[in-house]
Amino acid sequence: MTELEDDHSDMSASSKSPRDVAQKPRKSIQSVETGVRVLEALISCPGGCAPLRDIAAGAEMSRSQAHRYLQAYINTGLVQQEPADGRYSLGPTALKVGLSALSRLDVIRITTAYLRQLADDLETTGLLSIWGDYGPTIIRWLDGGVPIATSLHVGSVLPIQHSSAGLVFMAFQPLPAYKRLLERERAARTSIDETELQAMLTEIRRQGYAKVDGQVVPGLAAISVPIFDMQEKLIAVIGVLGRMTDQKFFCQSNIDRVQAAALKASNAMGWQPEEMRGDS
């Protein structure tokens, strides 16, 4: 019998009573559980990207068995293989599953409502990002005016040094949360001088928002503001996109509106300003 159930086994199991099936799990279910071990081993690898030997070791199975599961996952889009070095990582189907699960969380549902209103008020594009395994990940993209042509989309991972969302995540998270990604980004692309970066993060914490113009996508500008929960933990970043040709995009009125939307979302998640916490 292979690790994947064959048709004969399915027919035999179907002849059993519901009580028998409930008491003794079918081998096909065990096969799925084995497959999940492979996915968990992949996710547990540093950066969620690893060669076959590391995944097999993490799943505690032979390389040949792990390889068969990975090939099946590649065929369904759950896993993808890098052509350059043969390493495996999660694929587009896995992203869809993850985003579907995230959409059930209150933070997504609540924040999306304020983002929708913000995008409509400013007649521009609104973004909602969360911190994922690979960095700031866009999970909501709402057009409130003329759609902006860009390669960014739901599921896109933003750079942490050169995007307003990435800078906000660094400013309001402890260093261990992003140190590995920062080091990797510095090795792969142009980086910001450490002294300059720390000055930027200090200013972002002081003013409560970050803005960039053209660093991620030439011609596009962005404003991002943090969203906190009742434990004062950064849980998401709300932002808007505009064109650099729009000289009014960075006006204080726009910044105030983005901050107001983020504040309402934070309050809805149970966060309270420090002065209110002191009175309670």
Side-chain angles (χ1 to χ4, degrees):
M1 177 71 70
T2 62
E3 72 274 6
L4 299 177
E5 184 65 325
D6 60 17
D7 294 339
H8 178 73
S9 300
D10 287 338
M11 294 177 63
S12 298
S14 63
S15 64
K16 298 179 181 179
S17 68
R19 180 182 179 86
D20 291 336
V21 174
Q23 291 178 342
K24 185 177 182 180
R26 295 169 55 188
K27 291 184 178 179
S28 59
I29 296 177
Q30 293 174 350
S31 177
V32 172
E33 293 174 350
T34 302
V36 170
R37 281 168 44 201
V38 176
L39 291 176
E40 290 179 337
L42 171 58
I43 296 171
S44 299
C45 292
C49 184
L52 174 61
R53 65 175 181 274
D54 292 351
I55 299 173
E60 298 182 344
M61 63 176 62
S62 67
R63 294 188 187 184
S64 60
Q65 186 181 15
H67 181 262
R68 287 195 294 272
Y69 276 99
L70 289 169
Q71 289 304 307
Y73 291 145
I74 289 174
N75 293 339
T76 58
L78 279 171
V79 170
Q80 60 189 7
Q81 188 173 21
E82 302 298 329
D85 57 13
R87 289 172 174 259
Y88 297 90
S89 60
L90 292 180
T93 300
L95 176 61
K96 292 178 182 178
V97 172
L99 292 177
S100 177
L102 285 172
S103 67
R104 296 176 179 271
L105 299 179
D106 283 345
V107 59
I108 310 301
R109 176 179 57 81
I110 292 172
T111 305
T112 297
Y114 294 110
L115 179 63
R116 174 78 274 171
Q117 187 63 53
L118 177 64
D120 290 343
D121 289 346
L122 297 183
E123 298 183 347
T124 190
T125 298
L127 304 180
L128 180 64
S129 303
I130 62 168
W131 186 257
D133 291 337
Y134 302 101
T137 305
I138 300 174
I139 59 172
R140 284 290 184 271
W141 180 287
L142 302 178
D143 292 321
V146 179
I148 293 177
T150 172
S151 59
L152 296 177
H153 52 77
V154 171
S156 291
V157 178
L158 301 168
I160 59 176
Q161 296 178 93
H162 302 284
S163 69
S164 57
L167 290 169
V168 167
F169 275 113
M170 282 197 291
F172 294 96
Q173 287 191 119
L175 177 60
Y178 63 84
K179 181 179 179 180
R180 176 177 55 84
L181 290 176
L182 178 60
E183 292 174 347
R184 179 182 301 176
E185 190 171 286
R186 282 174 166 170
R189 61 182 296 170
T190 303
S191 64
I192 300 175
D193 175 77
E194 179 63 23
T195 300
E196 180 184 355
L197 177 62
Q198 292 305 317
M200 291 172 61
L201 298 182
T202 297
E203 180 63 11
I204 290 169
R205 284 188 286 267
R206 184 192 68 79
Q207 62 191 11
Y209 70 89
K211 62 180 183 179
V212 298
D213 50 357
Q215 282 92 329
V216 178
V217 179
L220 292 187
I223 303 170
S224 291
V225 179
I227 297 174
F228 301 98
D229 64 9
M230 65 178 64
Q231 296 178 319
E232 301 182 56
K233 179 182 178 182
L234 176 64
I235 54 175
V237 171
I238 194 171
V240 292
L241 286 181
R243 294 177 175 82
M244 290 179 59
T245 54
D246 181 3
Q247 298 181 354
K248 296 182 179 180
F249 180 73
F250 285 135
C251 69
Q252 191 59 47
S253 175
N254 284 356
I255 293 173
D256 290 344
R257 289 189 180 187
V258 181
Q259 289 187 300
L263 176 59
K264 291 178 181 178
S266 294
N267 289 342
M269 295 305 301
W271 179 84
Q272 290 184 329
E274 186 175 351
E275 58 270 19
M276 293 182 63
R277 293 196 298 271
D279 294 338
S280 58

